Amino acid sequence: MKITDIHGKITLSNGVKMPYLGLGVYKSKDGKEVKNAINYALDAGYRLIDTASFYANEEGVGEAIKNSSIHREELFITTKVWNDDQGYENTLKAFEVSRQKLNLDYIDLYLIHWPVPDVLEETWQALEKLYKDGKVRAIGVCNCLQHQLETIKKSGTIMPMVLQNEFHPKLVQQELIDYCKKENIQYQAWSPLMRGRILDNKTIAKIAEKHDKSIAQVIIRWDLQKGVLTIPKSVHQQRIEDNANVFDFELTDEEIKTIDALHNDERTGAHPDHFMEHFAKKSKA
């Protein structure tokens, strides 16, 4: 894909166009903080906003969208069904709660937040119904590996249009990206900047210096040149603007390979096969 400006979009398997750069609002406080972040992003040219019921800020996201002068059709809004709300009927109810909080007639992309094992198939059936009923323009999953995608492929009638996973220079998972390309599933990165842990990396710093860019800008550009959509999260105006300032330079093939080589399977979040234990421990803490 040509990566020339912030308004660039890719075309999903069903023909829906999706911006390749967006704002993630994980841990953005509902109310003034998230609304300000979205306003900064929209002013900077962002058109994709990624939230989730788990983030507890859908109402603030909805208010920012409502008060924006940008036409709804120009925006691409993603939200997700949380683990406790999965299962067929529960997912349909959870979607309606999210839709009402966002105060939108439709959602652009609805995702399964984590692949809860016993209910993954019926949760996906609910997403298929929402899609067929025209309540969402596209459906997909988060935090999945190939075997979970294969489960959906065997039991469902529609393949996910998007897979949103943790993705950064320490967690590339090229085989999974290649699988998604083969199956026409668009890969999208959450935590592209590794929650800040990658921002002192000396290898990327050398590349950044060469291009007169920040490490964060180089990583975001790397995402896009690898064909991975990305949603860096920030509530600070300058960082939001800086994260979008990645369209006036290009990484060489050698630089992309150098960043790829940093992969060591390191995660900042839970593993898709062990997330139930991860969240159980967190709830006890």
Side-chain angles (χ1 to χ4, degrees), residues 6-7 21-25 28 31-49 64-65 68 70 75 232-245:
I6 194 169
H7 297 300
L21 178 67
L23 177 74
V25 297
S28 300
K32 185 177 180 181
E33 184 172 85
V34 75
K35 286 189 279 186
N36 283 345
I38 291 170
N39 290 335
Y40 300 147
L42 296 179
D43 287 345
Y46 291 71
R47 292 297 179 264
L48 188 160
I49 308 297
I65 294 165
S68 168
I70 297 165
L75 300 174
K233 177 258 172 184
S234 182
V235 297
H236 304 289
Q237 183 174 5
Q238 191 61 55
R239 286 183 199 161
I240 289 170
E241 292 173 357
D242 288 347
N243 288 343
N245 186 18

Side-chain angles (χ1 to χ4, degrees), residues 23-35 37-38 49-65 78-80 98 101-102 233 235:
L23 177 74
V25 297
Y26 176 52
K27 290 193 174 178
S28 300
K29 294 176 186 174
D30 200 22
K32 185 177 180 181
E33 184 172 85
V34 75
K35 286 189 279 186
I38 291 170
I49 308 297
D50 181 282
T51 186
S53 61
F54 182 69
Y55 302 169
N57 57 20
E58 288 174 313
E59 289 178 342
V61 172
E63 285 181 43
I65 294 165
T78 300
T79 193
K80 313 172 190 80
S98 287
K101 284 184 176 180
L102 287 162
K233 177 258 172 184
V235 297

Side-chain angles (χ1 to χ4, degrees), residues 136-176:
V136 295
R137 297 176 66 222
I139 51 177
V141 292
C142 302
N143 305 304
C144 284
L145 301 177
Q146 183 173 330
H147 70 90
Q148 283 122 349
L149 294 170
E150 283 291 318
T151 295
I152 289 171
K153 183 178 180 179
K154 289 171 186 173
S155 64
T157 61
I158 303 170
M159 277 297 276
M161 291 138 199
V162 174
L163 170 61
Q164 184 186 113
N165 269 359
E166 180 174 354
F167 174 85
H168 44 69
K170 296 294 185 78
L171 188 68
V172 180
Q173 300 183 108
Q174 189 63 48
E175 287 184 8
L176 185 56

Side-chain angles (χ1 to χ4, degrees), residues 221-239:
R221 182 73 197 190
W222 170 75
D223 289 358
L224 299 179
Q225 285 188 224
K226 284 185 71 65
V228 176
L229 309 188
T230 189
I231 46 170
K233 177 258 172 184
S234 182
V235 297
H236 304 289
Q237 183 174 5
Q238 191 61 55
R239 286 183 199 161

